[in-house]
Amino acid sequence: MPSSGASHSSGPNSSSAGLLAPFTSELDKIAPSFRINGSQVRVLQTPTEFYETLKDKIRKAEKRIFLSTLYIGKSEKELIATLQEALRAKPHLKLSILTDALRGTREAPNPSCASLLAPLISEFGSDRVEIRMFHTPNLTGLRKKHIPKRINEGWGLQHMKLYGIDDEIILSGANLSSDYFSDRQDRYHVYSSRDITEYFSNLQTAVSSLSFLVKPSPEPAGFELVWPEDNSAISPLDNPKKFIAESTALLSGLISPKTAPRTALDNTPAEKRDTSVYMLAQFSQLLSPDTSTELPAVSHVLRTLAAPEYANSSWAFTAGYFNPAPSLTKLLLGTASTNNVVITASPFANGFYKSPGVSGLLPDAYTLLARRFVRAVHESKHRGTTVLKEWRKGTVGEPGGWTYHAKGLWVTMPKSENPSISLIGSSNYTKRSNSLDLEANALIVTENEDLKKRLGEEQRWLQDNATVVTREDFAKTERRVGLKVRIAMMIVQLVGGAL
């Protein structure tokens, strides 16, 4: 049964369950959860495996496909063809897509995400295909008129990555474009749970009702954005304050453990349910007061790790763009855990490496932030027990060069080899993620040994291409950053994490 207060102490490892109880007892008060069996979670490894799994599930879809992403690459003809193939084969199949309006229309009237998707509506009709684009209430009026499109995303985005097909869902940090399907490393979990899938479907439906509707158009752009009269709120461009108030009324109940819709669709026997999955949402730009659940849940996990009984626990944290919120850094370094690791992108695996213009300075900005973290570790009780590793596979822009975009957290209990807790989703765990973007995540707390092993393997294989970077490394001439990095730091503060 879905659980906000069900027992979490069943399972073969009672000592592990006892150590997990302080986490779950409070998490049950923070976010809605479902109890499942660990075998219902599959961990994918590579971008290619993610893409092939996604296409395979789309082709086999019977009832519904729902996709939330920042954007779909404007040249993703194969993905669109796969969706067309499925819709043509199954007359009752329905498709709903949610992207960000600013990113999805940035190139218009040239080819864009919106113009790529609009023909699906023309072919299959608006009763089967719905394309929605969320627009932040933070960018309106003169600000919207005068801020360049390239940087206007700094005021907030639809950043959730939810890829649902029938009764399964893939949670990831990956967007839907060619690099994320080939040489941009991320994380990907497949949940074979009707309850979890239905929950996130409801979440996407709610945000879609607060978003613009894409319609095909004969105009050069190929589409138009309209605000349907039956949306759940007034347009954010007409009255941002009222939009937020009406959004709060809709969303706050969906993300609260007391009022979230509770389905009981999974047929897993109660005695086999050894894993709790907490559905986390960070919707700060839409909630007043802000009752988002991601930041409180992550903060609770890390605060709990500060207790003496977790002195032999360990954690691993990863973010492709290393710009953790200051509160997160403080919490990480306040834990009692030892043998901890932070994994981030090497400058040579940063998506902005050798980018033209000011954005080419961003790798230096992230280098400076990583250097500051290493210095903070050195000055804390974690000196000698926590390391920072940079992930690199070739060099961006050269043959065989990859970028790194993975993010998340793993926590391993004392006397355990593999993580019992893992966090996955769209968030970059930055100040921006906590305040501006729409984020969706899942927090796993498990006693299932096989799932723990898979999470441990995931944590380790992400480190196969990572090497420790020390204070001495950052002091080398080639790692020093110039005065221009101040400009880059301003950009990071503005748009960092918007990818």
Side-chain angles (χ1 to χ4, degrees):
M1 294 293 292
S3 164
S4 65
S7 171
H8 297 273
S9 61
S10 61
N13 192 337
S14 57
S15 63
S16 172
L19 286 168
L20 292 176
F23 296 95
T24 57
S25 61
E26 186 65 25
L27 288 170
D28 287 339
K29 302 172 188 175
I30 294 173
S33 67
F34 290 99
R35 292 283 282 174
I36 63 172
N37 183 267
S39 64
Q40 292 174 257
V41 184
R42 179 183 166 201
V43 181
L44 308 182
Q45 183 169 354
T46 66
T48 301
E49 187 180 10
F50 163 58
Y51 187 37
E52 293 304 319
T53 300
L54 179 65
K55 288 189 296 179
D56 180 63
K57 292 190 180 299
I58 288 172
R59 291 188 186 104
K60 294 176 180 176
E62 295 287 342
K63 301 174 298 181
R64 64 177 178 184
I65 301 168
F66 64 94
L67 309 172
S68 287
T69 187
L70 174 59
Y71 65 97
I72 296 178
K74 60 188 177 183
S75 61
E76 292 308 312
K77 302 285 196 298
E78 184 182 36
L79 179 60
I80 298 302
T82 305
L83 291 168
Q84 289 172 320
E85 177 186 334
L87 288 163
R88 288 167 186 160
K90 308 285 174 54
H92 299 293
L93 180 63
K94 293 190 175 183
L95 168 67
S96 57
I97 297 177
L98 171 67
T99 76
D100 182 72
L102 298 174
R103 178 63 67 91
T105 62
R106 187 167 70 185
E107 300 91 345
N110 295 321
S112 65
C113 171
S115 65
L116 177 77
L117 297 174
L120 290 171
I121 306 165
S122 300
E123 179 175 354
F124 300 104
S126 58
D127 59 327
R128 294 186 64 199
V129 176
E130 181 182 76
I131 312 297
R132 293 280 187 155
M133 293 197 166
F134 174 84
H135 192 293
T136 177
N138 297 332
L139 188 71
T140 61
L142 291 175
R143 183 185 284 174
K144 179 175 175 63
K145 184 177 180 181
H146 294 294
I147 291 175
K149 286 185 177 182
R150 183 65 183 169
I151 65 169
N152 64 10
E153 298 165 10
W155 277 262
L157 294 167
Q158 188 313 100
H159 200 248
M160 298 187 295
K161 314 318 170 43
L162 307 171
Y163 306 127
I165 297 95
D166 290 338
D167 297 325
E168 293 183 304
I169 186 167
I170 303 173
L171 294 183
S172 180
N175 293 303
L176 300 180
S177 64
S178 57
D179 51 345
Y180 290 95
F181 301 153
S182 57
D183 53 17
R184 190 161 174 77
Q185 183 66 55
D186 215 298
R187 295 176 66 210
Y188 332 88
H189 287 186
V190 184
Y191 293 80
S192 299
S193 164
R194 294 175 67 188
D195 292 315
I196 293 173
T197 304
E198 188 66 20
Y199 178 86
F200 283 117
S201 173
N202 289 335
L203 204 62
Q204 175 172 320
T205 298
V207 176
S208 293
S209 76
L210 302 170
S211 303
F212 284 91
L213 182 69
V214 175
K215 286 191 171 184
S217 169
E219 297 298 317
F223 69 92
E224 60 175 331
L225 297 182
V226 300
W227 191 263
E229 289 185 4
D230 61 353
N231 266 9
S232 297
I234 192 171
S235 167
L237 302 184
D238 293 339
N239 190 329
K241 193 172 181 179
K242 187 177 181 183
F243 172 78
I244 292 170
E246 293 174 338
S247 297
T248 300
L250 174 67
L251 296 173
S252 58
L254 270 178
I255 65 175
S256 166
K258 296 179 180 178
T259 53
R262 294 307 178 94
T263 57
L265 304 172
D266 286 356
N267 56 14
T268 306
E271 66 274 13
K272 298 280 190 181
R273 300 190 180 215
D274 52 20
T275 300
S276 292
V277 180
Y278 294 88
M279 279 71 69
L280 307 181
Q282 196 69 29
F283 287 169
S284 299
Q285 63 167 299
L286 294 181
L287 297 172
S288 183
D290 186 2
T291 55
S292 295
T293 56
E294 175 202 305
L295 182 58
V298 175
S299 298
H300 166 65
V301 168
L302 295 176
R303 275 197 298 267
T304 302
L305 287 175
E309 57 263 40
Y310 298 102
N312 291 314
S313 67
S314 63
W315 52 256
F317 172 77
T318 189
Y321 298 101
F322 190 71
N323 183 23
S327 61
L328 179 62
T329 298
K330 185 176 180 181
L331 287 167
L332 286 169
L333 297 184
T335 64
S337 309
T338 56
N339 195 26
N340 311 309
V341 61
V342 170
I343 313 159
T344 190
S346 157
F348 300 98
N350 188 301
F352 293 107
Y353 180 71
K354 288 194 174 179
S355 292
V358 178
S359 61
L361 298 173
L362 293 181
D364 276 352
Y366 290 113
T367 292
L368 180 57
L369 289 164
R371 188 174 75 187
R372 288 176 178 174
F373 178 82
V374 170
R375 184 176 64 197
V377 170
H378 180 76
E379 295 171 353
S380 76
K381 65 181 181 181
H382 279 275
R383 180 178 179 179
T385 68
T386 299
V387 299
L388 181 138
K389 293 184 177 183
E390 287 186 340
W391 189 97
R392 180 180 181 183
K393 190 173 181 179
T395 300
V396 178
E398 297 180 5
W402 284 44
T403 53
Y404 186 76
H405 196 250
K407 47 259 198 163
L409 176 72
W410 300 260
V411 178
T412 301
M413 292 296 102
K415 299 181 181 178
S416 296
E417 292 184 11
N418 293 304
S420 297
I421 299 174
S422 187
L423 178 65
I424 187 171
S426 61
S427 181
N428 287 299
Y429 312 108
T430 63
K431 185 178 179 181
R432 179 209 166 92
S433 297
N434 295 342
S435 59
L436 290 175
D437 294 338
L438 302 188
E439 310 283 9
N441 305 269
L443 179 64
I444 294 171
V445 182
T446 185
E447 298 164 46
N448 184 289
E449 293 299 326
D450 286 339
L451 177 55
K452 288 163 66 174
K453 183 180 178 182
R454 293 195 295 277
L455 293 172
E457 289 169 347
E458 177 189 41
Q459 175 187 315
R460 288 186 286 273
W461 79 52
L462 283 173
Q463 296 181 58
D464 284 347
N465 294 293
T467 54
V468 174
V469 183
T470 65
R471 292 168 67 235
E472 290 72 25
D473 293 321
F474 282 122
K476 293 176 181 176
T477 302
E478 64 268 21
R479 297 305 302 266
R480 292 178 183 172
V481 294
L483 293 175
K484 290 181 180 179
V485 79
R486 295 186 181 275
I487 300 172
M489 288 292 289
M490 291 171 58
I491 298 171
V492 166
Q493 291 171 357
L494 182 66
V495 300
L499 295 164

